[in-house]
Amino acid sequence: MEQRNHVSPRNAPRRTRSLRENVTAIHRPAFKAKTPIRPTDLISQAPLAGFDTETDGLYIERGARIREFALVDQGGLRLGWSGLGDANATLTSELLGRLMNSFEGTILVGHNLSFDLKFLAAEADRLGQFCPPLYCIDTLGLSRKYLANMLDNFELARVARHLQLALPDALHRAEPDARLSLSVFESLSERFALKTLADAKMRRFAL
């Protein structure tokens, strides 16, 4: 993994960075490469990062593409990009490569992650990029499991409201949705006494 942009967790700035249009946030991996991840690991010690994408359509086969993504952790925005509002902005091979590198040693937390990963795989195929195996926790699946008798709609905002979490000013944007997914997971873990990654239904995906 390329190290020239690496900033160690100890020296990493802790203030939150905002996602700006067409501007890539600094690459700030929070965990060392090749960190072993096991189902028996404690959630409290796991290298979690919220992840979300926004696309310009629902169907890859109809030409829909990723228009925005954000990877966040407790320290702030680790990596983000937005092409919203600019019809000519596209996800580049260099940026996608940086994103793939930043996944190493990280467990992605997101809401309906299968949708995001499907688009991510399509972008990787288009750009000839290698996709590493990914460790993922899907808050949609957890919400359906633990809140089945309490909700009839498991949209991210509905789940967050039920858990009495504050909603961001903007929804359906990558960075606030990624942050909210992390908050939802933390709340579900505490409320239902989830202790290990196995309890959280962590899965390993190969794109």
Side-chain angles (χ1 to χ4, degrees), residues 2-186:
E2 185 173 318
Q3 296 295 318
R4 62 183 179 183
N5 292 323
H6 178 79
V7 180
S8 69
R10 180 178 298 175
N11 298 322
R14 305 306 293 175
R15 68 182 182 85
T16 298
R17 295 177 177 271
S18 61
L19 185 64
R20 296 172 293 173
E21 298 297 323
N22 299 319
V23 177
T24 303
I26 63 167
H27 186 202
R28 186 172 56 77
F31 307 100
K32 294 180 180 180
K34 298 182 180 179
T35 303
I37 296 174
R38 297 170 292 266
T40 54
D41 290 346
L42 295 177
I43 291 172
S44 60
Q45 299 175 6
L48 305 175
F51 180 66
D52 186 65
T53 66
E54 296 298 326
T55 67
D56 56 9
L58 297 177
Y59 304 103
I60 295 170
E61 60 272 18
R62 297 182 186 177
R65 299 274 298 278
I66 291 177
R67 303 297 294 164
E68 185 175 75
F69 72 75
L71 182 69
V72 305
D73 57 32
Q74 294 299 336
L77 179 66
R78 198 190 301 183
L79 188 67
W81 169 81
S82 179
L84 295 176
D86 184 351
N88 296 317
T90 59
L91 186 60
T92 65
S93 179
E94 185 274 338
L95 181 54
L96 185 61
R98 290 174 62 192
L99 179 62
M100 294 299 180
N101 285 338
S102 69
F103 288 154
E104 191 170 9
T106 297
I107 302 168
L108 302 183
V109 177
H111 204 72
N112 194 17
L113 266 177
S114 61
F115 179 86
D116 302 286
L117 298 183
K118 177 178 67 175
F119 272 84
L120 196 63
E123 294 287 359
D125 287 343
R126 180 179 66 84
L127 295 170
Q129 283 280 356
F130 168 73
C131 291
L134 305 177
Y135 293 91
C136 303
I137 294 173
D138 194 336
T139 54
L140 176 60
L142 288 177
S143 299
R144 286 173 170 165
K145 174 180 174 65
Y146 290 105
L147 304 177
N149 298 324
M150 306 173 202
L151 291 173
D152 57 6
N153 184 314
F154 298 94
E155 179 190 24
L156 179 60
R158 289 285 299 275
V159 172
R161 288 192 190 98
H162 177 79
L163 296 172
Q164 299 183 327
L165 299 175
L167 297 183
D169 293 334
L171 285 170
H172 303 296
R173 294 295 303 269
E175 184 178 355
D177 282 8
R179 294 183 188 283
L180 190 57
S181 295
L182 266 183
S183 296
V184 163
F185 176 63
E186 291 166 358

